[in-house]
Amino acid sequence: MSKKYVVGLGDNVVDYYQNQNVKYPGGNAVNFSVFAPKQLVDSYYVGSLAKDDDGELILNSLKDENVNTSFCNRINAQTEKTFVNIVDGDRQFIDSIRGTRLLPSLDEPGLLKMLDSALVVYSACHANSENVIAKLHQRGIIIAYDFSEMAKYHTAEYLDQVAKNVDIAQFSLSEAKADDLERILKQCIKLNTTLVLFTNGGKPPLLFDCNHRKKYVGQVKYDPAPIDTMGAGDTFFANLVVYLLTKTKNLKNLSEEDINESLTKAALAAAKTIRQKGSFGHGTKITK
């Protein structure tokens, strides 16, 4: 029996650590494809990679992590960049240079067939993939989606557009107002999102089973001296999604035991990520 696989569809970025003079590959969809637990699933990354040194860094790191990149395309553009400092293991955002945020066409030979058979397709609000995930969801493909911490992706208008096409949603509340959780959850329930995850830095994550109207409180493995928190949230979500879906592909049939076990394993995986540099390593010296 062939191994199941997941797909990270969307953005890629290189994180420039200014105070360390090192850059690392990343981006939500890239991270998802890397962090999906390989003992359970294989993974694909599907995205457009720039024909520059940073694009090469991302491509080579994915291959080293045994991520299938056969449906990626190369474009004449520059890779998106973020500039950060790492202080006491935590990132401090400085600036960014936005990339083109393009995606390969769904008309690429074999791409839709591959996506149709995926255990889940993951994407995120920075990927410019809203129309694509709508088409995929209409085909019956399970969609996991990260709405990030940015308020513009938590508005009623954006949720109306996107949440109806999402089965497992993640929201970071690190910059949220006090009543945002209740408002977002109520709208996701109305739009038939099955599972909604809320994270908030070092606080315990909250997972809501919208079908059974149940709340689950996850864990955060406290680390007094993290090396680098970059990628911890993506690690948690990737592991949570995969562990849940390898229990049952029908998310409405998940048991309390399945959900609690998946939350625990996701927390353990995130705890490992903050003990390494970059989202998933592969750092290279900044030369220009």
Side-chain angles (χ1 to χ4, degrees):
M1 183 177 177
S2 61
K3 204 172 185 181
K4 296 176 181 177
Y5 61 86
V6 300
V7 180
L9 171 72
D11 58 319
N12 55 80
V13 65
V14 168
D15 298 309
Y16 280 66
Y17 286 28
Q18 299 287 77
N19 61 337
Q20 298 180 5
N21 201 41
V22 179
K23 60 184 180 179
Y24 296 93
N28 297 125
V30 167
N31 290 346
F32 182 90
S33 66
V34 170
F35 291 133
K38 299 302 188 298
Q39 71 272 26
L40 296 179
V41 293
D42 291 327
S43 67
Y44 286 78
Y45 170 66
V46 178
S48 297
L49 293 164
K51 294 179 181 178
D52 60 11
D53 290 345
D54 286 347
E56 289 297 320
L57 173 61
I58 294 167
L59 181 60
N60 291 332
S61 69
L62 286 167
K63 290 179 178 178
D64 287 345
E65 295 290 336
N66 296 314
V67 174
N68 190 313
T69 59
S70 58
F71 290 99
C72 291
N73 63 347
R74 305 302 297 273
I75 57 174
N76 292 313
Q78 70 171 345
T79 299
E80 185 156 332
K81 300 170 176 60
T82 64
F83 301 95
V84 301
N85 284 332
I86 300 297
V87 179
D88 297 328
D90 202 11
R91 61 183 168 178
Q92 295 181 351
F93 178 80
I94 300 171
D95 201 359
S96 65
I97 298 175
R98 180 165 175 156
T100 54
R101 299 188 177 181
L102 296 176
L103 294 171
S105 169
L106 291 179
D107 295 328
E108 288 292 322
L111 178 54
L112 262 182
K113 183 178 179 181
M114 184 275 286
L115 294 170
D116 277 336
S117 298
L119 184 65
V120 63
V121 173
Y122 164 94
S123 198
C125 55
H126 302 302
N128 197 27
S129 62
E130 292 86 355
N131 293 334
V132 173
I133 66 163
K135 292 176 183 177
L136 299 181
H137 199 250
Q138 287 167 8
R139 296 173 69 90
I141 298 170
I142 294 176
I143 302 295
Y145 196 86
D146 186 348
F147 288 82
S148 84
E149 76 285 352
M150 299 178 71
K152 66 180 180 179
Y153 299 118
H154 296 179
T155 64
E157 293 76 17
Y158 190 79
L159 292 177
D160 269 338
Q161 177 192 356
V162 180
K164 62 187 177 185
N165 300 313
V166 174
D167 300 286
I168 311 175
Q170 178 183 22
F171 297 85
S172 170
L173 299 179
S174 59
E175 299 178 10
K177 299 175 182 176
D179 61 347
D180 277 355
L181 186 152
E182 185 176 346
R183 175 185 61 80
I184 291 168
L185 180 62
K186 184 176 180 180
Q187 194 164 357
C188 285
I189 291 172
K190 181 181 177 182
L191 295 168
N192 296 315
T193 309
T194 306
L195 297 171
V196 182
L197 174 70
F198 294 98
T199 60
N200 191 354
K203 297 179 181 179
L206 304 176
L207 180 67
F208 289 85
D209 177 346
C210 299
N211 189 55
H212 297 102
R213 300 295 198 273
K214 287 188 177 181
K215 178 177 78 171
Y216 296 84
V217 181
Q219 306 169 23
V220 173
K221 300 297 181 181
Y222 175 70
D223 190 325
I227 293 173
D228 188 347
T229 58
M230 190 81 80
D234 289 334
T235 304
F236 187 94
F237 194 46
N239 279 267
L240 177 65
V241 167
V242 171
Y243 278 110
L244 289 172
L245 285 170
T246 50
K247 300 288 186 185
T248 173
K249 197 166 182 182
N250 186 343
L251 294 170
K252 296 180 180 179
N253 289 340
L254 286 165
S255 68
E256 290 187 20
E257 182 181 359
D258 290 339
I259 292 173
N260 283 320
E261 182 182 345
S262 299
L263 284 165
T264 298
K265 289 182 175 179
L268 289 170
K272 290 180 181 179
T273 294
I274 64 174
R275 300 303 301 170
Q276 65 182 1
K277 294 182 178 181
S279 292
F280 55 96
H282 301 278
T284 185
K285 187 176 180 180
I286 300 171
T287 57
K288 57 181 179 179

